[in-house]
Every structure is written in C-alpha cells, then in structure tokens.
Amino acid sequence: MKQYLDLCQRIIDKGQWVANKRTGVRCLTVINADLEYDVANNQFPLITTRKSFYKAAIAELLGYLRGYSNAAQFRDIGCNTWNANANENQAWLNNPNRKGEDDMGRVYGVQGRSWKRPDGTYLDQLQKVISNLSVGIDDRAEIITFYNPGEFEFGCLRPCMHTHTFSLLADTLYLTSYQRSCDVPLGLNFNQIQCFVLLALLAQITGHKPGKAYHKIVNAHIYENQLSIMRDLQLKRTPYSLSQLRVNPNIKTLKDIETWVTSDDFEVIGYQYHDAIKYPFTV
C-alpha cells in the first residue's frame, strides 16, 4: 500500500504535464516506477484508501487468459472495463477492421492465446509457458506478450501492461510484468491485483511456490481531471494493513481457467477499506 501511495505523491510532487492527443486531457507524468508484490507471503496489494472492486479486476484477467475479444464476453463474467474502448472510442468506431458492437479486435488475450505467425498459423503463448513450467523448464524466455505492433490497427487499444516474463528458480516461480502506460488512480488498482493473481494462479497450476511479482511501469500518470480527487481526498486518508487472497485449490489446469473458474473462486481475507471514490475514466 505504501508503494502505491508513494508513487501517487511522487507524481504530484515531481510530475510534468504532458498533453495527450488521443484523449485531449493533460496528464501529470513521471517516467519509471518499480513496484513489488509479495505473493509468497500472501500480501495482497489491494488498495485500502478507497474501496477496491477486486472481482472485476480478476474477471478481466480471466478474460485475457481465455483470449476474449468482445466486451460482451467480459460483461458476462463481471467486468465492464472494455465497454467504453469497444464502443465509444471514435478512432475504433471508424476503423474498418471493427466487426460491430462490443468488438475489441485483436488485443490483449487474443495475442496471448492466438498470436498470428507469418504463415497464417497461430501460437498459443500461454499454453507454451504453462507446458514448460509444468515440467520444470525455464529457457529464460517464458514470456507472454500482448504487444504486437504489426496488428495495432486490428484492435481498439494498444496494450498498457503488455508483457509478462516468468522465471523459475528451484521450486519458486517469479513474475516480471512490464507496463508502458499507467492511469495510476484507476488502472493501477486493477494492474496490481492482476500481477499478483497471475503469479499465484500460474504457480498453483504448474506446481510451484509463488515468489515475488515485479511490476515495471514506464509512464505513470494522473489525468488532470483526477488530480484534485487524488491530492485532496485519497491521499489524505490513512491506509489499513494489507489483506490476503485465497485461491480455490481446485484450480489445477489451464482448462479449468478456460471452462469453469470465476471471480468467485478468489476470496479476499481481512480487507479493510475507506469509502469508494469515483474517478473519471478517460477514453
């Protein structure tokens, strides 16, 4: 919790204003932020200075792991974060590659589960990583990336948290996640949860102990229309201790994740929080 609040304060104290042509809203911005999450000791990085709706973040991660490409699929599992980018992003609405209402295109999980090779066949990056880790293989390239510059025009949004590298030392699995851009008041709340859960899940289904998740952010920012809320409300609150996460022990395979796992299979224990805060979302 402290590292999250420290980053927010750093942006306010040292950030520089950057004009954002895509959104038309300025951002107060810093470059380079490194966060760590202790999955081994189950220190769940759930924000306490406002109520966090963690199940939506986990549902979004499940959608990525399943390779979803439609906002309706995400809504069906309890996540509404893709409605605006799929249906209110004018550049995407004008894109001839858009297939209709709720279509997101080839973004995030689509790339992770069906990366298109030059010969027209597809690579399932997630399956490759899980297969290797399950038999103790770490070739120093156990990587899942959603960042495919050759297909940017086929999706509604370039991926923000774009690459996940898994590292196996003896019987302990580590994760390093890379993020090019982070809306700190809104997005980081989800991103922290997803890094933690991704490592916990893959360690569980590949038969390893989870270690730490390392989260590297390049461009961390607060939008101008969020700044006063963060500075004058959220940062004035005293944080509570971190909670813990219980993952259903019956989740044992990738097929389980694809077929029956829901956000209800993840239980937060000991979560204390302040009242919810509604930050504006910039499309």
Side-chain angles (χ1 to χ4, degrees):
M1 190 64 222
K2 183 179 183 299
Q3 60 185 342
Y4 171 83
L5 297 175
D6 286 348
L7 175 57
C8 294
Q9 193 64 57
R10 176 187 162 203
I11 295 171
I12 291 171
D13 293 342
K14 299 182 179 180
Q16 296 185 36
W17 286 108
V18 175
N20 190 296
K21 293 182 179 180
R22 180 178 66 85
T23 65
V25 183
R26 293 194 308 167
C27 299
L28 197 57
T29 304
V30 298
I31 301 301
N32 190 51
D34 289 287
L35 308 176
E36 296 182 10
Y37 314 124
D38 189 353
V39 187
N41 291 303
N42 203 0
Q43 295 293 297
F44 193 41
L46 194 56
I47 291 171
T48 65
T49 47
R50 68 180 175 93
K51 185 177 181 180
S52 176
F53 299 93
Y54 67 92
K55 286 196 174 184
I58 294 175
E60 183 178 54
L61 176 63
L62 293 175
Y64 292 162
L65 298 180
R66 292 171 177 171
Y68 284 174
S69 63
N70 191 284
Q73 293 175 297
F74 282 91
R75 286 198 301 275
D76 288 344
I77 60 172
C79 177
N80 290 300
T81 57
W82 282 96
N83 295 339
N85 281 310
N87 298 305
E88 299 175 25
N89 180 341
Q90 196 58 51
W92 179 237
L93 295 177
N94 296 336
N95 190 317
N97 296 302
R98 184 174 182 264
K99 297 176 182 178
E101 184 178 359
D102 286 326
D103 180 45
M104 295 160 46
R106 290 186 54 77
V107 296
Y108 282 91
V110 177
Q111 299 294 345
R113 300 304 309 271
S114 57
W115 180 285
K116 191 173 183 179
R117 296 186 177 101
D119 64 0
T121 60
Y122 292 91
L123 169 67
D124 188 337
Q125 300 181 69
L126 179 60
Q127 181 64 73
K128 175 265 182 186
V129 168
I130 289 175
S131 295
N132 279 0
L133 294 176
S134 295
V135 294
I137 294 174
D138 178 0
D139 64 3
R140 290 179 288 185
E142 302 303 337
I143 298 171
I144 301 164
T145 184
F146 305 143
Y147 202 82
N148 186 347
E151 292 198 332
F152 282 165
E153 70 271 24
F154 294 97
C156 66
L157 184 72
R158 290 175 297 172
C160 294
M161 190 158 62
H162 57 81
T163 300
H164 302 282
T165 300
F166 293 89
S167 302
L168 188 60
L169 296 180
D171 62 349
T172 302
L173 186 65
Y174 298 84
L175 171 64
T176 306
S177 296
Y178 305 88
Q179 187 164 357
R180 65 171 181 84
S181 173
C182 184
D183 175 343
V184 171
L186 280 177
L188 187 51
N189 180 37
F190 266 43
N191 301 142
Q192 292 184 127
I193 293 168
Q194 290 170 344
C195 287
F196 188 102
V197 173
L198 181 59
L199 177 56
L201 261 183
L202 260 70
Q204 181 166 305
I205 68 176
T206 61
H208 300 292
K209 297 176 183 177
K212 283 190 175 182
Y214 301 96
H215 185 183
K216 305 183 74 66
I217 302 169
V218 176
N219 184 302
H221 51 266
I222 299 173
Y223 280 99
E224 189 168 16
N225 56 7
Q226 302 168 331
L227 181 58
S228 62
I229 303 173
M230 174 60 74
R231 182 189 59 222
D232 302 330
L233 180 56
Q234 188 167 355
L235 283 178
K236 300 294 186 183
R237 296 174 170 180
T238 301
Y240 296 107
S241 299
L242 290 179
S243 54
Q244 294 189 321
L245 181 71
R246 181 185 180 277
V247 181
N248 185 341
N250 293 319
I251 303 173
K252 296 178 180 178
T253 66
L254 178 55
K255 187 175 181 180
D256 291 340
I257 294 171
E258 294 171 335
T259 55
W260 61 264
V261 175
T262 73
S263 58
D264 290 336
D265 290 293
F266 303 82
E267 179 187 1
V268 172
I269 301 166
Y271 183 37
Q272 290 181 280
Y273 52 84
H274 290 267
D275 292 341
I277 297 174
K278 188 173 182 180
Y279 280 102
F281 174 64
T282 304
V283 179

